[in-house]
Amino acid sequence: MTLRYNQILVAVDGSKEAEYAFKKSVSIAARNNATLNLINIIDTRSFAAIEAYDRSIAERAQTFAEDLLGGYKKEALAAGVQNVNVVVDYGSPKSMISKDIAKKVEADLIICGATGLNAMERFLIGSVSEYIVRSASCDVLVVRTDEPLEP
């Protein structure tokens, strides 16, 4: 029995761990001839306090996300992935990735980095990757290293 993925969702946020996740997702997508769905959720929880001082923060976050995903899309296409979709959205990354977006794209694999929040944030809100592992209805790969996958 061969395990095959058709719709891969990879969550990226600009961190080093997310870059590792992206690189592994490209390899898996190319090997499976799968659609790669690149996603960045702009976390609106942090906007309330910041927007009181700087109203352009949402616009800058959107531009950063679009640039990041645009670069990753070009890289994935150059590596042989045929179908690449880009999604930038606002909300809680935890629930949107594992529930809303995964359902929308019919993901059968979610890949994310083991991005480290500081200890207090982890205690108060839990990590995004931990929440995805617990709540996703499909397979989840949490990437910790940049070691290449075996062919």
Side-chain angles (χ1 to χ4, degrees):
M1 178 178 183
T2 303
L3 184 58
R4 182 170 161 77
Y5 295 110
N6 296 308
Q7 291 288 334
I8 299 171
L9 176 63
V10 60
V12 295
D13 61 4
S15 68
K16 202 58 155 165
E17 291 85 356
E19 184 178 345
Y20 301 159
F22 165 73
K23 289 180 179 181
K24 289 189 181 181
S25 73
V26 168
S27 176
I28 295 168
R31 188 172 58 233
N32 286 269
N33 195 27
T35 298
L36 185 60
N37 298 283
L38 303 171
I39 183 164
N40 180 276
I41 303 295
I42 299 168
D43 194 343
T44 54
R45 294 173 300 176
S46 57
F47 280 179
I50 297 171
E51 278 198 328
Y53 300 102
D54 186 357
R55 296 245 174 226
S56 68
I57 191 74
E59 184 178 303
R60 286 186 293 170
Q62 177 82 27
T63 301
F64 170 79
E66 289 172 353
D67 291 347
L68 177 70
L69 296 182
Y72 280 159
K73 180 176 182 174
K74 286 179 187 172
E75 195 175 324
L77 291 169
V81 179
Q82 307 251 334
N83 300 310
V84 182
N85 299 319
V86 170
V87 177
V88 176
D89 212 336
Y90 291 82
S92 167
K94 289 175 159 185
S95 61
M96 289 194 69
I97 293 166
S98 64
K99 295 178 182 172
D100 301 338
I101 305 298
K103 184 183 236 180
K104 182 178 178 181
V105 302
E106 298 178 358
D108 46 18
L109 176 63
I110 299 173
I111 302 175
C112 60
T115 305
L117 295 173
N118 69 45
M120 183 54 75
E121 287 174 320
R122 246 190 331 271
F123 175 74
L124 293 174
I125 63 175
S127 77
V128 172
S129 56
E130 178 187 356
Y131 186 86
I132 292 170
V133 168
R134 284 194 330 257
S135 63
S137 60
C138 63
D139 291 349
V140 177
L141 173 61
V142 178
V143 177
R144 295 185 182 281
T145 68
D146 63 346
E147 296 172 11
L149 293 172
E150 295 294 321

